[in-house]
Amino acid sequence: LCRHIHGFQHMASMSFGAGRAGRYADAIEEYDKLLELLPDLELEIRAKVIHNKAVALANLFLFDKASMFFKQSYDMYPLPETFIEYLASMRMLLPEDDYLVHVADLPEAYEESLELERRVEALTESWRTQIECQRLNQMQEWKRNGERAKYYQEADRVLQALKHSYRYSIGDI
């Protein structure tokens, strides 16, 4: 039994490390392997692995899958933070009106949805002070003023950086 637990811990460590390093596709594969090996009775550990798989999926903008796994994790081992993350993935997935209808259908979601909105507002305010936001605003200004060469040069630079980041996150680099 100790040998199996050590093996699970090692696999979990590898999976978590891949996720922290931004290698989300690799992490998802490792989480799937771990879930195949974990006994069904290990609810808390299974819930944590499923939760971390959901986080990796959300980081890949796969909010439909992420929301499903956040909900599965929450149903298995209910933690308020997991429910908030479920709501966040649904908020990213659905149009605003559909999201509001969805939350209204979940009476237990009231406090968590308020907490999520507080966090979204704080992140929005924080984003406005970031250099990336200022660069995007500058790009919009160039486009409005007809400075298309500057706009397209910066857009290409940003796009190439995003492509590189995404390729790294899916393990393509």
Side-chain angles (χ1 to χ4, degrees):
L1 180 62
C2 288
R3 186 175 48 129
H4 291 296
I5 290 173
H6 177 71
F8 292 141
Q9 288 173 335
H10 176 71
M11 286 184 73
S13 176
M14 299 267 299
S15 303
F16 300 149
R20 281 191 296 274
R23 303 292 296 210
Y24 304 118
D26 293 341
I28 291 166
E29 285 181 31
E30 293 298 320
Y31 293 137
D32 286 338
K33 289 177 191 174
L34 188 56
L35 288 169
E36 286 178 22
L37 297 174
L38 270 173
D40 289 338
L41 298 176
E42 296 290 344
L43 287 181
E44 183 178 358
I45 296 171
R46 288 184 71 80
K48 287 180 181 179
V49 171
I50 291 167
H51 171 270
N52 288 334
K53 179 178 178 177
V55 170
L57 289 162
N59 278 304
L60 291 173
F61 300 94
L62 300 171
F63 299 114
D64 55 338
K65 291 179 182 178
S67 62
M68 179 183 73
F69 285 106
F70 280 128
K71 184 73 166 82
Q72 184 180 353
S73 174
Y74 180 79
D75 289 344
M76 195 175 288
Y77 195 81
L79 295 172
E81 188 62 29
T82 302
F83 195 73
I84 290 171
E85 291 165 323
Y86 162 72
L87 291 175
S89 62
M90 293 302 292
R91 191 177 192 280
M92 296 299 293
L93 176 65
L94 299 173
E96 186 172 357
D97 290 343
D98 293 347
Y99 170 73
L100 293 174
V101 168
H102 178 69
V103 170
D105 288 341
L106 302 170
E108 71 273 16
Y110 180 73
E111 290 299 323
E112 285 83 357
S113 66
L114 290 178
E115 175 59 24
L116 175 60
E117 294 311 311
R118 281 191 285 276
R119 292 179 188 184
V120 167
E121 184 59 34
L123 287 170
T124 301
E125 288 302 312
S126 174
W127 164 249
R128 290 183 181 130
T129 66
Q130 300 298 313
I131 190 75
E132 293 88 355
C133 180
Q134 294 166 7
R135 284 184 185 147
L136 291 174
N137 288 336
Q138 178 64 58
M139 287 174 63
Q140 287 176 333
E141 188 68 26
W142 288 334
K143 191 173 183 182
R144 271 194 301 274
N145 293 337
E147 299 177 72
R148 300 227 184 268
K150 285 182 181 179
Y151 170 81
Y152 286 115
Q153 183 179 8
E154 183 65 10
D156 185 57
R157 189 195 65 73
V158 169
L159 187 57
Q160 294 307 318
L162 289 171
K163 283 182 190 178
H164 178 77
S165 175
Y166 182 75
R167 286 181 183 133
Y168 179 80
S169 73
I170 63 169
D172 204 31
I173 294 178

